[in-house]
Amino acid sequence: MEQRQPDNDWTHSHVFNEGNPLAQKNTTRAVILTAVMMVVEIVGGYTFNSMALLADGWHMSSHALALGLSVLAYVFARRFANDSRFAFGTWKIEVLAGYTSALLLVLVAGSMLFQSVERLLSPGPIYYDQAIALAFIGLVVNIVCAWLLKDGHGHSHDTHGHADHGHHQDLNLRAAYVHVIADAATSVLAIVALIAGKFWGASWLDPVMGIVGAMLVSVWAYGLLRDSGRVLLDAEMNTPVVGEIRQIIETSPMKAAISDLHVWRVGKGKFACIVGLVTDEAISPAYFKKALSVHNELAHVTIEINRLTPEHNGGAS
């Protein structure tokens, strides 16, 4: 016997993320600019014996790789958007790319620290004029890339007026943005160190600025690992939407108690939830689904109703 397919009223798409074509396009541009500048700074750092410039160039290479990873994440997320193997869509491909980029930032920081300490202990001559010129060019490239990716690190507000940092954030784009900002910061540090060395003989500032840059990159990497890791591990039961769900159930005219609640993110500013309720009233799950529908960020809602029987009301368990 042929199995009857459910009506359209009971089915829906599991593509919860609308994608970000503009971010993909701009990130691709940033990859090209970063890769070109990476080669120039690495060659220049070795040629002119500048640790600050060399560190900037080498860690820019990992940024180029991370930006390329971000582009691939957008491509794969879109390509597999309708693949039935992904129960809640492909958005977490982008989040996974952001997490991987954060790990690359950790490696960058470690490399910068090691090379800077080594150069601090064993200093060498620096060709300041050429190194300063390259560092300025690198800074301009980083500023252009940051402008292309600037929409990735702003905080959004939801439709109900409360601010949830990272609530609607594209973590993949944010990862790309952080990499570019890390580049810009180390370029600034390199310029300061090189100018101080040229005019005041403070050659020791070159490796010291490399150490400072490593510390900055470590802090940014930690923040990105924390935020992307929470999404990947579904550790977001402290988000405002959880409180909103509880409030709607508690203030409903139809009395019910929450026996089970699970909320996790399935897209930028989109959540799925499973709510278990206990009630002694004759009511369908559709009632509470409708009540929760006022929150647009709830893209997938499953309600389970458990009816109290006279035996339960008598206190037996």
Side-chain angles (χ1 to χ4, degrees):
M1 179 182 294
E2 183 178 352
Q3 185 176 4
R4 180 181 176 185
Q5 297 297 317
D7 296 333
N8 289 334
D9 290 343
W10 302 100
T11 61
H12 58 266
S13 169
H14 286 123
V15 179
F16 302 111
N17 187 44
E18 67 277 9
N20 202 339
L22 180 60
Q24 180 181 334
K25 184 177 180 179
N26 286 341
T27 305
T28 302
R29 292 171 175 170
V31 170
I32 296 171
L33 288 171
T34 302
V36 171
M37 197 61 225
M38 167 199 76
V39 174
V40 172
E41 286 200 334
I42 290 176
V43 173
Y46 278 116
T47 303
F48 307 129
N49 201 31
S50 168
M51 188 56 236
L53 189 60
L54 188 60
D56 191 25
W58 271 118
H59 95 261
M60 187 177 276
S61 68
S62 70
H63 294 333
L65 177 62
L67 291 173
L69 182 64
S70 295
V71 173
L72 287 176
Y74 286 125
V75 171
F76 285 124
R78 187 177 67 252
R79 178 175 297 178
F80 297 108
N82 296 305
D83 192 320
S84 60
R85 292 176 297 176
F86 295 89
F88 288 94
T90 58
W91 176 67
K92 284 188 178 179
I93 292 177
E94 299 177 21
V95 181
L96 182 60
Y99 185 84
T100 305
S101 291
L103 292 178
L104 287 174
L105 277 172
V106 173
L107 294 178
V108 165
S111 176
M112 289 174 64
L113 180 62
F114 176 80
Q115 293 182 66
S116 297
V117 171
E118 185 179 48
R119 185 59 60 89
L120 187 63
L121 298 175
S122 302
I126 300 172
Y127 300 90
Y128 288 107
D129 292 338
Q130 298 90 333
I132 290 172
L134 280 182
F136 268 110
I137 295 173
L139 179 59
V140 170
V141 170
N142 291 324
I143 290 173
V144 171
C145 290
W147 179 79
L148 288 171
L149 304 173
K150 66 183 183 301
D151 293 334
H153 95 132
H155 295 307
S156 298
H157 296 263
D158 71 8
T159 55
H160 306 289
H162 65 254
D164 180 12
H165 295 300
H167 193 66
H168 291 202
Q169 206 169 66
D170 185 333
L171 288 171
N172 188 39
L173 186 58
R174 176 185 164 192
Y177 184 85
V178 168
H179 275 275
V180 169
I181 290 298
D183 267 336
T186 51
S187 291
V188 170
L189 293 174
I191 290 169
V192 171
L194 290 167
I195 290 176
K198 175 179 171 61
F199 292 103
W200 298 293
S203 58
W204 54 270
L205 264 180
D206 187 72
V208 166
M209 285 303 185
I211 295 172
V212 173
M215 295 173 63
L216 283 175
V217 172
S218 297
V219 171
W220 292 327
Y222 169 75
L224 190 54
L225 281 171
R226 178 195 60 210
D227 293 343
S228 56
R230 283 175 181 170
V231 174
L232 292 173
L233 294 173
D234 297 323
E236 297 196 282
M237 287 298 291
N238 60 339
T239 57
V241 70
V242 175
E244 292 167 355
I245 293 171
R246 292 186 182 278
Q247 183 180 29
I248 284 179
I249 301 301
E250 291 170 0
T251 59
S252 171
M254 304 297 287
K255 299 304 178 184
I258 296 175
S259 59
D260 195 22
L261 177 60
H262 302 278
V263 178
W264 65 100
R265 199 181 304 228
V266 292
K268 294 191 298 291
K270 296 295 182 182
F271 293 83
C273 71
I274 297 174
V275 186
L277 299 175
V278 178
T279 181
D280 57 2
E281 303 198 39
I283 189 169
S284 72
Y287 173 83
F288 288 103
K289 277 191 175 184
K290 183 177 181 181
L292 292 172
S293 67
V294 299
H295 294 294
N296 294 328
E297 64 265 49
L298 292 176
H300 191 285
V301 179
T302 301
I303 303 289
E304 178 186 74
I305 301 289
N306 298 288
R307 287 289 305 280
L308 286 171
T309 65
E311 295 177 353
H312 287 109
N313 288 330
S317 59

